[in-house]
Amino acid sequence: ALKQAANIFLDVLRAEPFLQAYVGLGYLFLLLGQKSTAILYLAAAHSINPHDEDTVKLLEHTLKEDPSLKVHVHDPSFNDDEQESY
């Protein structure tokens, strides 16, 4: 079922860079325990809309669990080691 969902999201992204498809893929990869892949999709979603609540929450959660992934997020607010919003 997760593979089918991932294929649907990828089909959507091939047609157009759609925020929720990036968020959905990021979430699916988190469920699969593939944080390094998930962060790429979440970072792409964040670059489309840095104010999307779902994206920000998933990014914060993922970076809290694995701070080494911060290198993939090109937003200074997520790269500040002293950030306390987690």
Side-chain angles (χ1 to χ4, degrees):
L2 290 177
K3 185 175 181 173
Q4 287 176 321
N7 286 334
I8 291 170
F9 285 127
L10 287 170
D11 288 342
V12 170
L13 290 177
R14 284 185 193 106
E16 174 181 349
F18 183 61
L19 174 74
Q20 293 305 322
Y22 282 106
V23 175
L25 277 167
Y27 184 68
L28 284 175
F29 281 110
L30 286 176
L31 291 175
L32 294 169
Q34 298 180 16
K35 292 177 192 163
S36 60
T37 302
I39 199 74
L40 299 175
Y41 287 101
L42 295 173
H46 190 260
S47 69
I48 293 171
N49 181 357
H51 305 291
D52 180 70
E53 289 183 37
D54 293 333
T55 304
V56 171
K57 286 178 184 177
L58 286 170
L59 277 170
E60 288 176 346
H61 171 77
T62 305
L63 295 174
K64 181 178 179 183
E65 288 190 353
D66 190 347
S68 71
L69 296 172
K70 289 180 182 180
V71 298
H72 299 291
V73 182
H74 304 290
D75 182 318
S77 66
F78 287 103
N79 293 317
D80 182 5
D81 292 331
E82 310 228 350
Q83 183 178 357
E84 296 181 19
S85 65
Y86 296 136

